[in-house]
Amino acid sequence: LNLMFVYGLFLFFQMKTHPDLFADVEEEEEASEGLSLYISVVLLVICTMVIAACSEALVGSIEGVSEDHDLPKAFIGVILLPIVGNAAEHATAVACAYKGMMDLALGVAVGSSTQIALFVVPCSVIFGWIYDQPMTLGFRKFDTACQLLSVALVSQVL
């Protein structure tokens, strides 16, 4: 719960108290007419249902792929699924970096990591508790070392 609270404070800091720190440096585009609230909510619900169906199909096919290609399920779940699941985000970051928009590319990458670390992981633990699945934030030494090295690397880049 503390991590989710910190993520909420980060969002408050980013959107309310210091939005000028996160604004684009380049000139702002003209504001265009957007979708109505009703259309936006309907599109969001439809997209959520389609993504949920695709996710169910993807997760349901893991066992067959594991047996057909002799890949361990842990490799598929820990390595392949995150790469496939975030392919669009990775492509956006690479495209922005290629075009010289390094601030945006780093923002996409670091924002995603922050969201996963401070929101998704604690939510997974809470849902694990609800569904009586043993989940914890007690990481092994290797996991903790990898996390510390990645934080050190990102802090040097930024």
Side-chain angles (χ1 to χ4, degrees), residues 12-46:
F12 182 73
F13 175 80
Q14 187 177 15
M15 294 180 191
K16 296 293 182 189
T17 62
H18 293 80
D20 53 318
L21 294 176
F22 300 96
D24 289 337
V25 177
E26 299 175 7
E27 62 185 59
E28 306 229 355
E29 297 179 17
E30 294 182 19
S32 60
E33 184 79 21
L35 297 174
S36 69
L37 179 64
Y38 176 75
I39 297 293
S40 299
V41 169
V42 168
L43 285 174
L44 181 64
V45 168
I46 290 171

Side-chain angles (χ1 to χ4, degrees), residues 60-73 76 80:
S61 68
I62 289 177
E63 190 160 336
V65 170
S66 175
E67 292 172 0
D68 292 346
H69 298 288
D70 294 326
L71 291 172
K73 291 179 187 173
I76 293 172
L80 293 181

